[in-house]
Amino acid sequence: MKKRIVTLSLTAILGTSGVFVPLSKSAYASSFEEKKARIQNERSNVQSNIESKKSEVKELETKQNQLNQEIKKLDEKLLDTGEKIEEKENEIKKTKAEIEQLKKQIAEVKKRIEKRNELLKERAKSLQEAGGTISYLDVILGAKSFNDFVTRISAVTTIVDADQKIIEEHERDMKLKEEAEAKLNKQLSSLEEALSELASLKQELDKQIDEKDKLLGQLEAEHGQAMDQLEDLVHQDAMLAKQQKMIEQQQQEYLKRLEEEKARQAQASQSASKSSDKTVASSDGGSSPEPSVSSAAGSGSFIWPASGVLTSKMGMRWGRFHAGIDIAKRGTVPVYASAGGTVSYAGQMSGYGNVIMIIHNINGKTYTTLYGHLRSINVSSGQKVSQGQFIGYMGNTGRSTGQHLHFEVHNGTWRGKSSAINPLSVLP
C-alpha cells in the first residue's frame, strides 16, 4: 500500500518534483546521507554566518554607544555655550541701557557746553571791543569813592575767575564725555565680539551634532540591516534543521518499509514454493512503495493574495531593504494562496509576526511565497493548498504599523532576503 509523505520542502530536499523511484537499501541510504551531509554543510555555513553577523551587530552597537557618548558631550557643550551666550546677551542689554543713560547725561553736558560756548563767545566779544584787555586804571579812575573802587576791583577779579572756572568746567565735561563714550563703546564692542565668537561656536557645535546624527543614522540603518540579516540566517538555520530532521524521519521510514517489503516477499516466496502450480504471489502493494513528492502545482501563474491598496513596493525603505510588497485594507480581509503548493512553514517569525510560507512548483520551477503580519493562520506546515485557497486573515502582527499583508516571492526555497524577487514581476 502506497503512502504519501509530506515534507517541509521536498523539492529542495530530494531535488525532484516527480515520483521517486526506489533504489536498493544501500543506494537509497547513500542518497539520504548525501542529502543530510549537504544540508549539514549548508547549516554549518549558515551558523558560521550567524556568528559573523552577531560580531558585526555587536561592533555596530559598540560604535553606536561610543557615538552616543560623543553626542552627549557635544550636547553638554552646546548647553553650556547657550548659557554663556545668554549671559553675554544680558550683559550687552545692560550695557546698552547704560549707554542710553549716558547719552542722556552727555546730552545735558552738551547743553552746558553749548551755553558755555555762547558765554565765552560773549566774553571774547567784550574783550575784543575793549581792546583785548581790561584797564584796571580805567576802573580805578572811574571809581567815585573808595567803596566803589573796592567793588570795581572785586568785580574784575570775579569776572576773571568766572571765565577761568567756565573754561575748566568746559574742559572737564568734554573730557568726561569723551572718556565715557570711549569706555562704553569699547565695552560694547568687546561684548559684541564675544557674542559673535560664541555664536560661531554654537554654529560649529550644531554642525558637528548634525554630522554625528547623520553618522548615527547610518549606523542605525546598518544595524537594522544586520539584525534583519541575522534574523534571516537564524530562520534559515531553523528551516534547515527541520529539513534535516524530516530527511532522517523519511530515511528511517523508508528503510522500515523496505524491511517490511522484504519480509513480505520472503513470505510470498515460501508460499509459492509450497504451491502446486508454483505461482508467484504478488505483494499486497504490487511493487515496492513509492513515496511521492508533495509539490502541488497551481494554475501555472500567481494571483494577488488579497484585495486592498498597494502601499509599498519592493526596494529600499527607511534605510532597509523591503523584500516584498505591502497590501493594505481595513476590516476583516481574507488572504489566499497565490499559487498551489505545499505549506513549508506556518507560525511566528521575528519581525513578520504570524507568517505562512508556501513552496510552489510552477512550470518545472520552484518558488516560495511568504505571507506576513497575519491576524490568524488557517493552514499548517506540510499541508497542500490550491491556488486561491483561504489561508488566513490580514493583520497587524510583528513589526507593523497598521493592518496589511506583507507578500514576498522567492526563487527556489526561502533563503532570507537574498532569494527575494519582485512580486510585481509575476503577479498579473
Side-chain angles (χ1 to χ4, degrees):
M1 182 177 181
K2 297 182 179 180
K3 181 177 180 182
R4 300 180 65 84
I5 303 174
V6 178
T7 69
L8 177 68
S9 174
L10 289 180
T11 302
I13 298 172
L14 302 179
T16 178
S17 60
V19 177
F20 177 76
V21 178
L23 305 173
S24 66
K25 181 177 178 179
S26 61
Y28 199 70
S30 175
S31 175
F32 268 119
E33 291 303 323
E34 288 176 1
K35 293 176 178 63
K36 286 195 296 183
R38 186 167 61 249
I39 289 180
Q40 183 58 48
N41 181 60
E42 190 172 349
R43 280 196 71 190
S44 296
N45 292 334
V46 169
Q47 289 169 353
S48 176
N49 290 335
I50 287 174
E51 294 305 314
S52 175
K53 193 60 64 176
K54 284 182 179 178
S55 298
E56 181 183 341
V57 168
K58 187 175 181 180
E59 183 179 352
L60 287 170
E61 288 174 348
T62 300
K63 288 182 179 179
Q64 282 181 305
N65 292 333
Q66 292 174 347
L67 195 57
N68 281 327
Q69 291 300 318
E70 292 180 26
I71 290 176
K72 184 178 179 181
K73 291 179 181 179
L74 285 173
D75 286 338
E76 291 173 354
K77 287 184 179 180
L78 185 61
L79 179 62
D80 181 63
T81 303
E83 291 175 351
K84 289 180 179 179
I85 289 174
E86 186 177 355
E87 290 176 2
K88 291 298 181 182
E89 287 175 341
N90 289 334
E91 289 180 18
I92 289 175
K93 185 177 180 181
K94 180 180 178 181
T95 302
K96 287 181 177 179
E98 292 175 355
I99 289 176
E100 290 301 320
Q101 184 64 31
L102 180 63
K103 285 180 179 179
K104 293 179 182 179
Q105 295 175 359
I106 291 175
E108 294 295 328
V109 173
K110 285 182 176 179
K111 288 181 181 179
R112 294 200 301 267
I113 290 172
E114 289 174 0
K115 287 181 180 180
R116 291 194 194 101
N117 284 336
E118 291 299 324
L119 180 59
L120 290 173
K121 286 179 182 179
E122 291 296 327
R123 300 296 293 169
K125 184 178 179 181
S126 297
L127 289 172
Q128 184 179 7
E129 291 175 352
T133 60
I134 297 176
S135 174
Y136 285 97
L137 181 59
D138 290 341
V139 173
I140 294 171
L141 294 176
K144 296 179 180 179
S145 64
F146 182 76
N147 289 335
D148 186 26
F149 171 77
V150 172
T151 300
R152 284 173 177 263
I153 289 297
S154 298
V156 171
T157 303
T158 300
I159 290 170
V160 173
D161 290 341
D163 288 345
Q164 184 65 34
K165 185 178 181 181
I166 288 172
I167 292 171
E168 290 175 356
E169 288 178 352
H170 191 67
E171 290 176 349
R172 188 166 55 250
D173 282 346
M174 289 292 291
K175 185 177 181 181
L176 175 63
K177 181 179 81 69
E178 290 174 359
E179 288 179 353
E181 286 181 338
K183 180 180 179 180
L184 286 178
N185 285 334
K186 182 179 180 181
Q187 186 177 2
L188 179 60
S189 176
S190 176
L191 287 173
E192 287 178 344
E193 182 179 351
L195 179 60
S196 177
E197 290 175 357
L198 288 172
S200 297
L201 178 58
K202 181 178 181 297
Q203 185 178 4
E204 180 63 25
L205 288 174
D206 285 339
K207 180 181 178 181
Q208 291 178 8
I209 288 178
D210 287 341
E211 291 175 354
K212 295 290 184 181
D213 284 343
K214 289 179 181 178
L215 182 57
L216 182 60
Q218 293 175 359
L219 284 175
E220 288 177 347
E222 290 176 12
H223 181 267
Q225 290 177 357
M227 287 300 295
D228 286 345
Q229 292 167 0
L230 179 59
E231 288 177 4
D232 287 347
L233 289 169
V234 170
H235 291 314
Q236 286 182 50
D237 184 57
M239 298 280 279
L240 288 169
K242 288 183 178 180
Q243 291 181 3
Q244 187 176 21
K245 184 177 180 181
M246 195 163 287
I247 286 178
E248 292 171 352
Q249 291 174 346
Q250 273 201 307
Q251 183 181 23
Q252 293 173 3
E253 183 175 350
Y254 188 78
L255 292 175
K256 180 180 177 182
R257 294 182 67 187
L258 281 178
E259 292 297 329
E260 291 174 351
E261 180 65 19
K262 182 178 179 181
R264 282 196 299 270
Q265 290 178 355
Q267 184 179 3
S269 178
Q270 290 176 1
S271 299
S273 64
K274 295 178 181 180
S275 174
S276 59
D277 58 6
K278 307 298 182 180
T279 302
V280 179
S282 63
S283 66
D284 180 48
S287 61
S288 60
E290 298 178 1
S292 62
V293 178
S294 176
S295 57
S299 63
S301 61
F302 292 91
I303 63 172
W304 283 83
S307 62
V309 177
L310 180 64
T311 57
S312 185
K313 297 181 180 180
M314 182 177 179
M316 295 304 297
R317 185 181 69 174
W318 306 324
R320 298 182 182 182
F321 180 65
H322 187 238
I325 62 174
D326 291 342
I327 304 169
K329 189 177 182 180
R330 294 181 179 179
T332 302
V333 185
V335 176
Y336 306 100
S338 184
T342 302
V343 177
S344 61
Y345 183 80
Q348 286 278 333
M349 273 182 76
S350 178
Y352 289 99
N354 292 329
V355 67
I356 295 172
M357 291 188 196
I358 303 175
I359 292 181
H360 318 273
N361 185 1
I362 298 176
N363 298 327
K365 191 172 182 179
T366 301
Y367 296 92
T368 300
T369 52
L370 181 148
Y371 311 76
H373 307 308
L374 299 172
R375 181 197 304 175
S376 64
I377 296 175
N378 289 73
V379 292
S380 56
S381 295
Q383 179 180 340
K384 289 194 299 181
V385 296
S386 58
Q387 186 178 59
Q389 181 175 331
F390 169 71
I391 58 174
Y393 285 107
M394 185 184 294
N396 190 24
T397 57
R399 281 203 301 265
S400 171
T401 57
Q403 178 170 294
H404 71 283
L405 171 68
H406 175 75
F407 178 65
E408 297 180 7
V409 179
H410 294 258
N411 265 326
T413 57
W414 184 84
R415 300 184 301 280
K417 295 181 179 180
S418 62
S419 58
I421 63 173
N422 191 347
L424 297 180
S425 68
V426 297
L427 290 172

